[in-house]
Amino acid sequence: NPKAVQTTKVSLFTKPGCPHCARAKTLLAKQGLSFDELTLGDEISISAMRAITNADTVPQVFIDGKHIGGADDLEKYFS
């Protein structure tokens, strides 16, 4: 339905050149989900990301406010 509105809110923290971030974005796209991307160094610092996610690695994915984790966790979430 071209007029359908996505009700799921997705956000993820990424870093330029990160292959795991690219994989997470591909997984989200395959599910038909758009997302808000926060890029380390541009929109947010690593210390701010740590404070929010309690993690040191990217990507960090949130779906509807729930912390999913990284790309491997996202694969498990969708399976």
Side-chain angles (χ1 to χ4, degrees), residues 6 15 17-19 28 31 33 44 46 49 57 61-62 64-66 68 72 78:
Q6 177 178 319
K15 181 173 74 172
C18 167
L28 291 167
Q31 295 294 319
L33 297 172
I44 194 160
I46 188 137
M49 184 195 78
T57 60
V61 181
F62 288 81
D64 287 334
K66 179 183 176 194
I68 304 303
D72 291 341
F78 286 137

Side-chain angles (χ1 to χ4, degrees), residues 1-9 32-34:
N1 179 359
K3 295 181 181 181
V5 176
Q6 177 178 319
T7 58
T8 305
K9 305 292 183 202
L33 297 172
S34 59

Side-chain angles (χ1 to χ4, degrees), residues 54-75:
N54 199 29
D56 291 327
T57 60
V58 288
Q60 291 299 315
V61 181
F62 288 81
I63 297 178
D64 287 334
K66 179 183 176 194
H67 183 221
I68 304 303
D72 291 341
D73 300 312
L74 186 61
E75 280 183 343

